[in-house]
Amino acid sequence: MKEEKKKSHKPRWADLDLSNEKLIKMYKDMLMIRRFEERSAQEYGKGKIGGFCHLYIGQEATGVGAIAALRENDDFIYTAYRDHGLALARGMDAKGCMAELFGKVTGVSKGIGGSMHFYDLSKGFMGGWGIVGGHPPLAAGSAFATKYQGRDSVTICFMGEASTNQGVFHETLNMAQLWKLPVIFICENNGYGMGTAISRAMAGEHLFEKAAGYEMARGAVNGMDVIEMYREMSIAIDRARTESLPTFLEARTYRFRGHSMSDPGQYRTKEELEEYKKRDPIETFAKELIAEGILTEAEIEAFDEAIKTEVDEAVQFADASPQPPLEMLHENVYA
Amino acid sequence: MAVLQIREAINQAIAEEMERDPGVFIMGEEVAQYNGAYKVTQGLWKRFGDKRVIDTPITEAGFAGIGIGAAMTGIGIRPIVEMMTWNFAILAFDQIMNHAAKARYMSAGQFKMPIVFRGPNGPAHMLGAQHSQALESMVAHVPGLIVMTPSTPYDAKGMLKAAIRDDNPVIFMESELMYGIKGEVPDEEYLIPIGKGDIKREGTDVTIIAWTKMVAVALKAAEELEKEGISAEVIDPRTLRPLDEEMILTSVRKTNRCVIVEDSWPYASVGTEIAHRIHTKAFDDLDAPVEKINSADVPMPYAENLEHEALPSPAKVVAAVKKVLYR
Ligand SMILES: Cc1ncc(C[n+]2csc(CCOP(=O)(O)OP(=O)(O)O)c2C)c(N)n1
Ligand SMILES: [Mg+2]
């Protein structure tokens, strides 16, 4: 009886186009983000990184699950300042990302952008924006452009839940639906905008219903679960690609660290944080991959070692790289 | 006299005015329970409660407008609207420029606009292009707005109290990097009138004009210059609109030379206006054209070396002074 059950058992992603290879890549991508961000925090403490530094730790599944569902080259990604993890998930090199944090010319934005402004046009990674609510219309504009040119590309736009209180967010949703733009808004609801819990800043309880006023396809997804993210994004991407319609997806997630490096996080309880850490998106996925016989403990251990080495190398590369030459100060103000 | 940080001086000004006038309240992002992104409003929420110390959603245009609407009813409300930084207040410029600045004029004086918009302005350290903008010229451009830029704890407190009591919309621009700067603040009440500048250091050979963070840069340059036998007078207009033209012209007529230091961009800056006024009103007293030191005419880069290169420095001011002295 037991044997039989085992035989007929299918993983919950059986209906998705997820090969073992792809699943493993998603796992590694999440782990890379975690280790990269942990190291960023350390380097920030040493004064190697300046300014603001917003870590993605805890939210890895949201970004990796969503980006894994995209095409590799001709889809576009927009996000706010919490952008390191998404850049890595898009396949941007850890070396270039770390060098950007260090303000070095070898960085992804040549040291000009900094933590909040990672870009790689060749990968459709459109950044990296610092004004809360500023970038969603740009993402809609990207969708407008690809539709205009008759391409079947889609644009995905990550944003914090607090940015949905900005007026321009609503202007954007309206036009995206009105003009049927192939854009997916992924609202990363981590419960807080800086020190303000969502309930203190937003009227109404159901974030995703903000899209209801525009009759946009919408829903909530467990953003701590990389498979669920992938599933919902696949549906939304299909809708965008084949029907040219937007989607608003609320990804329920949590950030394990402070808003930025200077935030002691006194606005939330230790218990709340611990509760969420029990749902650590990387640990839970690791367990599942082991249970499904896709990975072994030893393999996971080995990945971690390899990734730590890669992050080490990224730090060494960033450290050894030169600052941008002074002539660059006046470059690129105009075309 | 107590020695206070600028953040504490501003905090006292707000608390005293809230104590004095029940119509004064403060709102902004993180001003209440978080005690302010830069701890300027520390303790105010505990002391005055939810009604008068209000956390807003991140929606600058919206709460700026709500402040404006509350102020213009004429029923005794005097909002203080904190902008987490002036970079974000750009979202509220429609409300500030199109609404707050014009309501009185368009209504032929029916509406008063007793509101203060305050927060840090100008580059801080390695915050990148979208978070490192000195925007005083943009607001000073607009008739109907008052623009104040304190550089010491003493000034900050007296100026803010005057701003809160004024019936015009006041743009009050501070600096993240200056909140920790300490200085003496009298225990008794005082106000610093709008439009009144201050001589920060007396001198005879050259006038250096600067405000907020740039006052320290000018004073440092003055120290350097003294070593070379050059006596620099450092003056701080404190209010950029209306300008203390009297103080500026008096100083320039004495020294015959002038350098203006600002960390905004050079193009159409407040310094451009000041230089123009000096050139037209004290032309015969000038021994050299007025010089201006600004931030580089570029969006601020992140890299530390480039940011340093972009910003005004005492060395750049010293060089400009030597230029107007033909040395
Ligand atoms: C227009 C604007 N106002 C304020 C800020 C300062 N600020 C930066 S992030 C942030 C909180 C945003 O929260 P949320 O959108 O939920 O994103 P999260 O940080 O949680 O990823 C605030 C207030 C800003 N960058 N831009
Ligand atoms: Mg959030």
Side-chain angles (χ1 to χ4, degrees):
Chain A
M1 187 70 194
K2 250 190 182 167
E3 275 298 289
E4 243 178 26
K5 195 173 179 194
K6 217 175 185 181
K7 253 187 212 156
S8 65
H9 169 81
K10 278 189 189 152
R12 63 189 170 110
W13 51 77
D15 59 324
L16 299 173
D17 60 333
L18 283 172
S19 62
N20 285 359
E21 199 187 359
K22 184 146 188 174
L23 289 163
I24 292 168
K25 180 169 186 308
M26 283 158 74
Y27 177 76
K28 282 187 183 170
D29 284 350
M30 288 202 286
L31 194 58
M32 172 51 117
I33 296 172
R34 178 68 57 92
R35 297 294 176 240
F36 181 94
E37 293 289 61
E38 285 167 352
R39 192 61 187 267
S40 301
Q42 284 173 17
E43 298 303 316
Y44 192 93
K46 290 187 211 157
K48 296 281 185 184
I49 299 170
F52 294 140
C53 186
H54 310 84
L55 304 181
Y56 200 57
I57 294 178
Q59 301 181 209
E60 294 92 344
T62 307
V64 169
I67 290 174
L70 285 181
R71 285 205 300 238
E72 259 177 41
N73 292 314
D74 61 349
D75 289 337
F76 293 92
I77 302 170
Y78 271 89
T79 186
Y81 42 83
R82 201 178 295 286
D83 61 351
H84 320 159
L86 298 173
L88 291 167
R90 189 50 164 175
M92 284 162 68
D93 185 34
K95 285 193 170 99
C97 291
M98 192 59 82
E100 189 59 34
L101 295 180
F102 277 49
K104 300 299 182 69
V105 72
T106 50
V108 292
S109 307
K110 298 196 172 166
I112 304 294
S115 161
M116 299 186 280
H117 307 296
F118 282 21
Y119 307 98
D120 187 344
L121 179 59
S122 72
K123 291 191 157 59
F125 193 80
M126 311 302 281
W129 298 88
I131 303 300
V132 170
H135 68 284
L138 310 187
S142 158
F144 181 97
T146 54
K147 183 175 183 177
Y148 185 99
Q149 296 290 33
R151 299 189 187 182
D152 70 346
S153 298
V154 304
T155 302
I156 70 173
C157 177
F158 294 88
M159 65 180 88
E161 86 293 335
S163 71
T164 65
N165 297 319
Q166 290 283 23
V168 70
F169 164 77
H170 292 273
E171 299 173 30
T172 302
L173 254 62
N174 183 44
M175 286 182 281
Q177 184 69 29
L178 184 68
W179 295 340
K180 297 190 170 35
L181 301 180
V183 56
I184 297 145
F185 303 99
I186 303 160
C187 182
E188 296 189 76
N189 181 1
N190 59 12
Y192 296 88
M194 239 170 182
T196 304
I198 181 170
S199 59
R200 294 205 297 119
M202 192 186 93
E205 239 179 277
H206 304 291
L207 178 65
F208 66 85
E209 291 297 358
K210 284 190 173 184
Y214 310 103
E215 298 177 11
M216 187 181 290
R218 61 198 176 273
V221 53
N222 176 6
M224 306 293 270
D225 182 340
V226 71
I227 298 295
E228 281 311 300
M229 272 311 297
Y230 185 87
R231 179 188 303 282
E232 292 304 320
M233 280 301 292
S234 299
I235 297 167
I237 288 169
D238 189 51
R239 182 181 299 125
R241 242 192 260 292
T242 58
E243 298 174 71
S244 190
L245 282 172
T247 300
F248 180 84
L249 203 56
E250 173 191 350
R252 295 189 176 146
T253 179
Y254 201 79
R255 64 168 156 71
F256 292 173
R257 298 293 180 99
H259 167 73
S260 65
M261 299 307 297
S262 58
D263 169 21
Q266 280 159 354
Y267 43 82
R268 59 186 187 185
T269 62
K270 260 208 182 95
E271 291 74 42
E272 180 182 295
L273 180 58
E274 289 315 315
E275 252 341 281
Y276 275 99
K277 281 190 173 168
K278 282 185 204 151
R279 296 171 49 198
D280 187 310
I282 300 175
E283 282 172 23
T284 50
F285 194 44
K287 277 192 197 129
E288 198 171 8
L289 290 176
I290 293 169
E292 295 291 353
I294 294 170
L295 282 178
T296 64
E297 299 262 12
E299 283 170 319
I300 284 185
E301 199 71 8
F303 289 158
D304 204 6
E305 282 313 306
I307 284 170
K308 280 180 179 155
T309 305
E310 203 179 323
V311 172
D312 259 342
E313 286 166 3
V315 169
Q316 281 163 24
F317 172 81
D319 222 5
S321 292
Q323 289 183 312
L326 292 184
E327 310 85 78
M328 270 190 74
L329 181 60
H330 292 277
E331 282 173 14
N332 296 311
V333 180
Y334 296 101
Chain B
M1 273 215 252
V3 172
L4 300 183
Q5 296 183 356
I6 288 191
R7 63 159 61 77
E8 294 167 332
I10 294 171
N11 182 288
Q12 276 195 359
I14 297 168
E16 286 177 18
E17 292 307 299
M18 286 182 69
E19 209 58 80
R20 185 180 158 272
D21 180 348
V24 176
F25 74 94
I26 180 160
M27 67 174 163
E29 293 155 19
E30 309 290 354
V31 298
Q33 298 191 18
Y34 199 78
N35 288 302
Y38 299 99
K39 303 299 164 225
V40 170
T41 51
Q42 186 83 45
L44 294 180
W45 176 63
K46 262 219 168 106
R47 182 162 162 197
F48 294 101
D50 281 334
K51 179 176 173 187
R52 301 182 67 195
V53 183
I54 303 166
D55 278 329
T56 62
I58 305 170
T59 166
E60 289 80 5
F63 65 79
I66 285 181
I68 294 164
M72 65 189 278
T73 49
I75 56 172
I77 305 293
R78 292 183 174 274
I80 304 169
V81 176
E82 176 171 309
M83 292 295 175
M84 192 175 282
T85 79
W86 278 94
N87 301 288
F88 315 144
I90 294 175
L91 277 79
F93 273 14
D94 166 56
Q95 289 299 325
I96 294 173
M97 294 183 175
N98 277 330
H99 300 84
K102 295 178 175 58
R104 179 187 182 88
Y105 191 82
M106 293 192 300
S107 68
Q110 293 181 65
F111 298 129
K112 289 178 183 157
M113 196 57 70
I115 186 167
V116 175
F117 300 96
R118 51 151 292 274
N121 176 53
H125 186 57
M126 295 181 80
L127 299 185
Q130 292 190 307
H131 285 73
S132 308
Q133 309 176 84
L135 298 169
E136 59 265 39
S137 327
M138 294 194 62
V139 275
H141 190 59
V142 182
L145 298 181
I146 286 170
V147 182
M148 300 179 93
T149 49
S151 68
T152 67
Y154 173 85
D155 289 353
K157 182 172 177 188
M159 288 163 66
L160 184 54
K161 285 172 68 96
I164 294 168
R165 293 186 199 184
D166 197 73
D167 280 339
N168 294 294
V170 178
I171 308 298
F172 201 85
M173 297 177 138
E174 304 151 14
S175 156
E176 292 102 309
L177 293 183
M178 289 176 70
Y179 283 133
I181 286 175
K182 290 181 180 165
E184 290 195 332
V185 175
D187 299 322
E188 61 279 7
E189 171 159 275
Y190 65 99
L191 300 182
I192 296 174
I194 290 170
K196 182 96 185 69
D198 187 40
I199 300 171
K200 296 296 185 209
R201 175 191 171 116
E202 303 220 15
T204 52
D205 298 333
V206 62
T207 299
I208 307 177
I209 304 176
W211 49 92
T212 44
K213 269 205 303 296
M214 294 301 104
V215 172
V217 172
L219 288 170
K220 189 92 187 50
E223 260 172 50
E224 297 296 314
L225 289 162
E226 191 177 75
K227 289 180 200 153
E228 301 186 39
I230 299 167
S231 161
E233 177 149 297
V234 176
I235 64 175
D236 176 0
R238 297 196 291 201
T239 304
L240 300 182
R241 185 184 183 118
L243 203 56
D244 191 345
E245 203 176 275
E246 172 82 23
M247 175 189 72
I248 293 169
L249 294 176
T250 303
S251 177
V252 172
R253 286 188 177 121
K254 178 174 76 176
T255 63
N256 313 114
R257 298 164 204 272
C258 180
V259 171
I260 301 167
V261 192
E262 28 181 18
D263 57 0
S264 67
W265 295 299
Y267 198 106
S269 70
V270 171
T272 310
E273 170 69 13
I274 295 174
H276 166 72
R277 292 205 199 178
I278 295 169
H279 285 142
T280 50
K281 295 184 182 171
F283 187 69
D284 292 338
D285 296 288
L286 282 177
D287 287 341
V290 174
E291 276 296 316
K292 232 163 53 111
I293 297 292
N294 286 85
S295 284
D297 198 14
V298 303
M300 188 61 77
Y302 166 74
E304 193 163 26
N305 63 328
L306 294 190
E307 183 178 62
H308 180 78
E309 178 77 3
L311 288 169
S313 63
K316 289 182 189 172
V317 178
V318 166
V321 165
K322 289 187 177 167
K323 188 171 172 199
V324 299
L325 282 158
Y326 303 109
R327 290 233 205 154

